[in-house]
Amino acid sequence: DATLQIDLEGYPEGKYVSHRHAQITKIKDVYYIEDLGSSNHTFVNQIKLAQGQAEPLKEGDTIRFGKVEVTFHER
């Protein structure tokens, strides 16, 4: 099991991402994303996560942290 950390400091849209915005955790063979009470919310495929909601991720999912959008790829 592992937890990933992503630092968006320095990116123009990074100011919309909280210091501790969300967490991605791998449990067995499944990755989960959880919003940590961010100000500008976390979205998976345009669906807003509730604080503390752990949502499983699959290849190609679109994740948005505030105004920063990324595509999830398992490697």
Side-chain angles (χ1 to χ4, degrees), residues 14-23 33-43 48-53 63-67:
K15 64 184 175 186
Y16 298 101
V17 181
S18 301
H19 179 69
R20 288 189 36 84
H21 193 103
Q23 176 173 286
I33 186 165
E34 176 183 352
D35 185 272
L36 300 176
S38 64
S39 299
N40 292 306
H41 311 291
T42 303
F43 298 79
K48 183 170 86 169
L49 301 183
Q51 179 179 347
Q53 174 186 353
I63 303 168
R64 184 161 48 94
F65 308 99
K67 292 187 176 184

Side-chain angles (χ1 to χ4, degrees), residues 4-9 11 17-19 22 24 65 70:
L4 307 174
Q5 292 185 1
I6 301 169
D7 184 1
L8 297 171
E9 188 175 329
Y11 285 87
V17 181
S18 301
H19 179 69
I24 297 174
F65 308 99
V70 298

